[in-house]
Amino acid sequence: PRQPSLVIIDSIQTMLCDAAGSSAAGGITQVRECVALFLRLAKSTGVSIILVGHVTKSGDVAGPRTVEHMVDCVLYLEGGGLLGSS
């Protein structure tokens, strides 16, 4: 069977993992366990995984900041006005 070379999860705050029990999606336990699962998957298969985490309207990370301490790289992307607009 073919294996993907890239997996994108959008957003990590909505994922549920059995290892985290009955805790709510987006909570510290769920996010930590889901990220750990994806890290194990990436390391065991060699597949690159991009985890997308969203921010609130006030600019805070939605859910816990646990992900930032578990992954190899954190990028913040901000949208602005359309190109060429005043």
Side-chain angles (χ1 to χ4, degrees), residues 34-46:
C34 289
V35 170
L37 176 72
F38 286 119
L39 288 173
R40 288 191 302 275
L41 177 67
K43 289 178 180 183
S44 67
T45 63

Side-chain angles (χ1 to χ4, degrees), residues 54-62 65:
H54 293 273
V55 296
T56 63
K57 290 183 180 184
S58 64
D60 298 320
V61 174
R65 298 183 76 107

Side-chain angles (χ1 to χ4, degrees), residues 46-78:
V47 173
S48 297
I49 299 180
I50 296 175
L51 301 174
V52 177
H54 293 273
V55 296
T56 63
K57 290 183 180 184
S58 64
D60 298 320
V61 174
R65 298 183 76 107
T66 305
V67 175
E68 293 178 325
H69 303 287
M70 297 177 72
V71 297
D72 293 329
C73 180
V74 176
L75 302 173
Y76 288 93
L77 305 175
E78 294 185 24

